[in-house]
Amino acid sequence: MQVFNNTRDLREFVSSAKMRGQRVGFVPTMGYLHDGHLSLVERARSRADLVVVSIFVNPTQFAPHEDLSSYPRDEEGDLQKLREAKVAAVFLPNVEVMYPEGSTTSVTVLGPSLPLEGERRPNHFKGVATVVTKLFNIVQPDVAVFGRKDYQQCMVIDAMVRDLNMPVELEFAPTRRESDGLAMSSRNAYLSTDERARAVALSRALRAALAAYQGGERSRENLVNILQSALQSAQPCEVDYAEVRDAETLESRAVFGNEPLVFLLAVRVGTTRLIDNMRTDDV
Ligand code: AMP
């Protein structure tokens, strides 16, 4: 496995692979890798001849009060996992490589960036869209894989690739969960034992709403109440949002029809902000 810290050497590696006729798969991450990340690597491998993974904790997607400085990191552990996963190359740039002095360009996606996370984290998706554009331009992958765990992020990247005619195929992979249902996340490392036990309420709430939907419930208010009351078992916690939306447009309606819906949660357990989601056609 080759590890690159700069753009030029990685580009050379990728372009010689392409000259040999190999398809390049790409998985961007912020590191502190878990089985969810590794499932994306497997997906990428099934669609490409070699896989490139990036590890970069992107400062532009964090607000000043967020957890950039405490974001968990384990470079050696990550590289070991990627070696075992037979990744061909890792791109591990520092902030100066990604944002040299004088950088003035960013990418703004409207539409799916605006509601929910966009309302609570105003510049978050601008940071994501900018760094993903840069990583796509550096790596030039044939296919890139993202996790549905970050549901809105998938929609934002899908819109960006379509709107800007980016020559990359996208694949969105299902959320990997712990055995009790908690969605895997690097941020789960912040949870105390007690918070970890309470955090299971998120996936339980999503399953409760899904069961009600399967039983015919289509009222937004009733579905939101089911989410909220199932989240009571995470108390003390702060529900940032518990929502049901059209899965394709993120539109809200008082009463939904039979179109696929998505339940979306953002909940602060202790000081850790957890997000999770489930689509009605996930099962
Ligand atoms: P992150 O390192 O948190 O930026 O995530 C990197 C990629 O892994 C993103 O596409 C995430 O959506 C994806 N990801 C994070 N957690 C999971 C999970 N539990 N299952 C599947 N994919 C995930």
Side-chain angles (χ1 to χ4, degrees):
M1 184 176 80
Q2 304 226 39
V3 180
F4 298 102
N5 301 112
N6 71 66
T7 317
R8 201 195 56 223
D9 293 348
L10 174 71
R11 271 223 170 125
E12 249 166 50
F13 173 85
V14 171
S15 68
S16 61
K18 285 186 165 180
M19 300 251 272
R20 292 194 299 271
Q22 294 188 303
R23 254 172 76 84
V24 175
F26 177 46
V27 179
T29 82
M30 298 207 298
Y32 211 71
L33 302 178
H34 49 68
D35 284 353
H37 294 114
L38 298 177
S39 73
L40 306 189
V41 171
E42 288 314 311
R43 281 261 165 162
R45 186 193 315 292
S46 73
R47 303 263 322 250
D49 299 303
L50 61 87
V51 180
V52 178
V53 173
S54 65
I55 299 176
F56 179 60
V57 181
N58 174 36
T60 65
Q61 69 190 68
F62 289 78
H65 63 276
E66 291 180 349
D67 57 342
L68 173 64
S69 60
S70 60
Y71 196 83
R73 295 166 202 246
D74 177 15
E75 200 175 297
E76 274 316 304
D78 287 349
L79 291 176
Q80 188 52 35
K81 285 176 189 158
L82 296 175
R83 242 176 249 121
E84 283 162 17
K86 303 271 186 288
V87 162
V90 180
F91 182 44
L92 205 78
N94 63 23
V95 176
E96 289 69 37
V97 165
M98 289 304 285
Y99 298 107
E101 233 181 81
S103 295
T104 56
T105 307
S106 58
V107 179
T108 301
V109 179
L110 300 177
S113 286
L114 298 176
L116 302 161
E117 289 296 296
E119 283 166 10
R120 277 88 184 172
R121 306 182 71 190
N123 287 315
H124 173 66
F125 287 126
K126 181 165 90 173
V128 170
T130 302
V131 80
V132 170
T133 299
K134 288 171 67 72
L135 290 167
F136 281 178
N137 285 334
I138 294 165
V139 179
Q140 305 197 352
D142 296 288
V143 56
V145 185
F146 294 84
R148 291 224 197 94
K149 157 81 169 35
D150 296 280
Y151 190 82
Q152 245 185 301
Q153 173 170 284
C154 291
M155 294 186 77
V156 168
I157 289 164
D158 196 38
M160 176 183 88
V161 164
R162 200 179 50 240
D163 293 349
L164 298 182
N165 306 88
M166 293 183 175
V168 58
E169 295 164 32
L170 295 176
E171 170 116 2
F172 301 122
T175 301
R176 284 289 286 262
R177 297 178 179 281
E178 304 289 353
S179 54
D180 65 357
L182 178 68
M184 291 181 182
S185 165
S186 307
R187 287 189 169 101
N188 292 350
Y190 297 142
L191 299 168
S192 69
T193 310
D194 180 54
E195 289 164 352
R196 168 67 186 80
R198 277 149 48 209
V200 75
L202 276 82
S203 61
R204 291 214 180 117
L206 294 169
R207 283 206 306 273
L210 183 62
Y213 173 89
Q214 286 166 339
E217 185 60 75
R218 294 292 185 274
S219 146
R220 174 188 170 273
E221 193 181 340
N222 292 349
L223 290 166
V224 167
N225 285 341
I226 290 162
L227 290 171
Q228 292 276 10
S229 64
L231 287 172
Q232 288 305 310
S233 62
Q235 287 290 354
C237 70
E238 190 190 316
V239 179
D240 219 352
Y241 57 79
E243 267 297 340
V244 52
R245 297 288 169 101
D246 181 302
E248 303 295 338
T249 65
L250 295 180
E251 277 164 5
S252 184
R253 271 189 279 286
V255 180
F256 291 96
N258 282 332
E259 67 280 24
L261 306 183
V262 59
F263 304 109
L264 300 130
L265 300 177
V267 179
R268 218 174 280 278
V269 179
T271 54
T272 307
R273 186 173 184 276
L274 300 173
I275 60 170
D276 199 355
N277 70 82
M278 210 171 272
R279 276 177 68 124
T280 54
D281 56 356
D282 265 351
V283 279

